[in-house]
């Protein structure tokens, strides 16, 4: 049984994969000081709550926060008796190597998204991931990650707006009924929502023009369904793309 772990800047996700489907998905906040024992206490409590009795034999990790990897390695070794596969490390092979400038370190989450998206949808893709940052990953026809775009995340932009302008409140991101706001809250929601629709559509159209090939757009991340309501150019939305990509990379490394 495989335990796939995706550690982002905000949240860390654990999913148990039985080779056919995910049995459960668990989420916690990312904290670099969390120990291996703390991970196991949290993990075992929730697995028991869901009534899942599994024998974890393999662990794969993708982390955009390097400082958490050590404790996750200890967690896998101490409690499951296995050496985890870590995306981005030399011992972890990718189905197709990225084609980027020499010396460039590509975020593991972007490599995983590319692998997952290619496995499900083939090549010539744009993967738009709404995380702490809003990222655009370009996947070539053969499945290689060939570059992309990084923009501020939605919540990061909201926090910056509130911090820089103390009179502006914290708001939730929703689709406003009108573009023209009649009060401060509506104005902010319109600016954020339609601003990101414009950002997503504008960047995707420019990528398509530069790539010079028909491209499908895959949306992922918690806010993707919301922005799809506002005519974002998504062809499909995947809520488990990163976790699926981890299973694809694990299977690739397990061959032979």
């Amino acid at each position: 049984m495989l335990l796939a772990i995706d550690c982002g800047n905000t949240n860390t996700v654990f999913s148990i994969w039985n080779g056919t489907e995910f049995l459960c998905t668990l989420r916690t906040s990312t904290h670099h000081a969390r120990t291996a024992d703390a991970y196991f206490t949290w993990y075992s409590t929730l697995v028991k709550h869901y009534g899942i009795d599994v024998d974890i034999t393999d662990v794969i990790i993708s982390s955009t926060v390097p400082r958490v990897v050590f404790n996750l390695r200890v967690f896998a070794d101490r409690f499951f008796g296995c050496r985890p596969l870590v995306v981005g490390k030399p011992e972890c092979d990718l189905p197709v190597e990225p084609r980027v400038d020499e010396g460039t370190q590509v975020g593991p989450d972007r490599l995983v998204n590319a692998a997952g998206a290619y496995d499900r949808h083939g090549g010539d893709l744009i993967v738009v991931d709404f995380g702490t940052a809003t990222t655009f990953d370009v996947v070539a026809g053969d499945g290689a990650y060939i570059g992309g775009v990084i923009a501020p995340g939605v919540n990061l932009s909201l926090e910056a707006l509130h911090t820089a302008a103390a009179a502006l409140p914290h708001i939730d991101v929703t689709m406003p009924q009108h573009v023209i706001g009649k009060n401060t809250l509506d104005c902010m929601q319109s600016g954020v929502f339609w601003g990101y629709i414009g950002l997503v559509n504008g960047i995707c159209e420019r990528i398509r023009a530069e790539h010079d090939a028909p491209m499908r757009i895959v949306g992922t991340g918690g806010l993707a369904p919301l922005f799809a309501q506002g005519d974002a150019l998504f062809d499909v939305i995947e809520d488990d793309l990163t976790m699926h990509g981890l299973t694809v990379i694990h299977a690739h490394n397990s061959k032979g």
Side-chain angles (χ1 to χ4, degrees):
M1 205 77 70
L2 173 67
L3 178 61
I5 303 175
D6 172 44
C7 180
N9 291 296
T10 304
N11 294 315
T12 297
V13 181
F14 286 50
S15 289
I16 299 174
W17 174 254
N18 68 1
T20 303
E21 62 181 351
F22 290 110
L23 300 182
C24 71
T25 295
L26 316 172
R27 295 177 182 273
T28 185
S29 58
T30 299
H31 183 35
H32 72 272
R34 183 174 284 120
T35 65
D37 290 350
Y39 277 117
F40 185 72
T41 299
W42 167 80
Y43 167 84
S44 59
T45 300
L46 285 181
V47 166
K48 182 178 179 180
H49 171 77
Y50 286 112
I52 297 173
D53 184 15
V54 295
D55 180 22
I56 300 297
T57 58
D58 297 271
V59 177
I60 183 169
I61 300 168
S62 169
S63 177
T64 58
V65 186
R67 297 202 311 182
V68 307
V69 173
F70 174 78
N71 283 324
L72 288 173
R73 283 184 183 272
V74 175
F75 164 75
D77 178 64
R78 180 178 297 169
F79 297 106
F80 303 121
C82 68
R83 179 179 176 83
L85 194 64
V86 181
V87 178
K89 299 298 183 182
E91 65 272 15
C92 180
D93 292 329
L94 298 172
V96 185
E97 289 299 310
R99 294 194 291 274
V100 293
D101 290 345
E102 186 175 353
T104 299
Q105 290 189 339
V106 181
D109 56 329
R110 309 184 77 178
L111 299 174
V112 171
N113 281 348
Y118 180 72
D119 183 69
R120 283 182 170 170
H121 304 289
D124 292 320
L125 302 172
I126 304 170
V127 180
V128 185
D129 188 354
F130 293 92
T132 303
T134 300
T135 58
F136 300 73
D137 303 322
V138 182
V139 183
D142 63 351
Y145 171 87
I146 59 172
V149 176
I150 301 175
V154 177
N155 290 322
L156 194 62
S157 295
L158 286 172
E159 184 62 31
L161 189 62
H162 172 73
T163 300
L168 297 180
H170 285 288
I171 64 168
D172 294 326
V173 185
T174 60
M175 180 178 176
Q177 294 183 340
H178 306 282
V179 176
I180 301 173
K182 300 296 187 181
N183 56 64
T184 301
L185 180 63
D186 288 349
C187 289
M188 292 177 66
Q189 286 180 336
S190 183
V192 170
F193 183 84
W194 294 112
Y196 270 86
I197 293 293
L199 180 142
V200 169
N201 290 349
I203 289 178
C204 286
E205 287 177 352
R206 288 180 177 273
I207 290 174
R208 280 174 164 169
E210 190 169 297
H211 189 64
D212 196 24
M215 305 183 77
R216 300 190 73 200
I217 302 174
V218 181
T220 190
L223 292 176
L226 172 66
F227 287 108
Q229 297 176 28
D231 299 323
L233 294 175
F234 305 134
D235 293 293
V236 63
I237 294 175
E238 300 277 7
D239 61 358
D240 64 347
L241 183 65
T242 303
M243 307 315 291
H244 177 68
L246 285 171
T247 70
V248 170
I249 293 174
H250 176 266
H252 176 75
N253 282 266
S254 299
K255 290 179 181 178

